[in-house]
Structures are given as structure tokens and as C-alpha cells.
Amino acid sequence: MEIQTVDFNVWPKGDPNTAYAQYFIGNSYLADVGGGMMNMTFEPGCRNNWHIHHKAVQVLICVSGRGWYQEWGKEAVELKPGVVIAIPAEVKHWHGAAKDSWFQHLTYHKDVQEGASNEWLEPVTDEIYNQLK
């Protein structure tokens, strides 16, 4: 399997995401790109746990590589540069890189209400993840 790389000169890789590493399988990195927006980089095979954003909409803007987004009970959606996903508040979901590609997305929150929070849940199992191409 050949691993697809990304150009870190366009979107910075960032620093290791150690603060949230316990909620990820694999390594991820964060770079503050300004305006309340973060660039998240996932190494091949990296994905975050299922999670819910309470009282806020999370927006993903895919900028490099290839990845996946999935809502609980629904089919996974392939993520490539140019794809934008607006994740409604209270929706259980996960996102991360494809097995054979680094992946980067910009992320920010909108429609943030008082008391907004993230709830981190169980890991995405290999059984679920390995079904993705």
C-alpha cells in the first residue's frame, strides 16, 4: 500500500495533539491558522473517537489528502479537498484519515450556545474502520 502524502508548506502540520491524544487512534496534529480556525492533520489510519458537540455546530473544511466522516447509524462519507461538512449539534460522529493517506481539515465551531461542550465517547472499532476503502 502506497501512502499518500500532503504538502505541509500549504497547510502547516502543527504540533502533536497531546491534549486530546487519549481520544484518538493514531497521531494527530493541530495548527492555529487564525480567525478561530484550526488545521488538524491526521496521519494515515488516524481517527478520533465517536464524539458529540453539544450546543455548537462543528464545521470541517477538507484541504488536503483523503479521509472519512461518519454519523452514528449512517454510511461513512469520503472526505477530499473541497468537501465541507457542517455537523449539527448533538450528532454522534467521528472523522479521520484514510488508511493510505495523510489528511488535513480546517475546523471551527459556529452557532455556539452558552454551555457548549464536547462529549468524547468510545473509539471507532477496527471492524467499522477497516470496512472503509
Side-chain angles (χ1 to χ4, degrees):
M1 172 172 58
E2 186 175 330
I3 301 295
Q4 181 181 341
T5 60
V6 297
D7 184 353
F8 294 120
N9 293 316
V10 177
W11 296 101
K13 182 177 178 183
D15 297 321
N17 185 14
T18 55
Y20 293 91
Q22 64 186 327
Y23 306 117
F24 285 73
I25 294 173
N27 294 311
S28 65
Y29 305 84
L30 282 173
D32 187 338
V33 294
M37 197 171 306
M38 301 294 288
N39 181 49
M40 175 157 269
T41 300
F42 299 81
E43 70 180 8
C46 177
R47 69 246 189 211
N48 52 32
N49 288 6
W50 290 100
H51 59 286
I52 300 170
H53 299 280
H54 296 291
K55 299 184 177 184
V57 173
Q58 183 183 28
V59 178
L60 308 178
I61 304 168
C62 306
V63 295
S64 187
R66 192 170 72 87
W68 295 101
Y69 165 77
Q70 185 173 23
E71 292 181 7
W72 187 258
K74 295 185 178 180
E75 293 292 318
V77 174
E78 186 175 24
L79 301 176
K80 292 183 176 182
V83 172
V84 177
I85 303 282
I87 306 161
E90 315 310 325
V91 171
K92 184 175 178 178
H93 68 282
W94 70 270
H95 36 103
K99 292 176 231 170
D100 63 349
S101 180
W102 284 82
F103 175 63
Q104 294 181 303
H105 67 59
L106 303 178
T107 185
Y108 67 95
H109 292 87
K110 65 179 210 141
D111 302 332
V112 179
Q113 301 172 22
E114 186 175 335
S117 65
N118 292 347
E119 179 181 0
W120 290 99
L121 304 165
E122 70 275 13
V124 175
T125 64
D126 287 343
E127 180 182 4
I128 290 171
Y129 184 77
N130 289 334
Q131 291 177 23
L132 306 172
K133 304 270 181 213

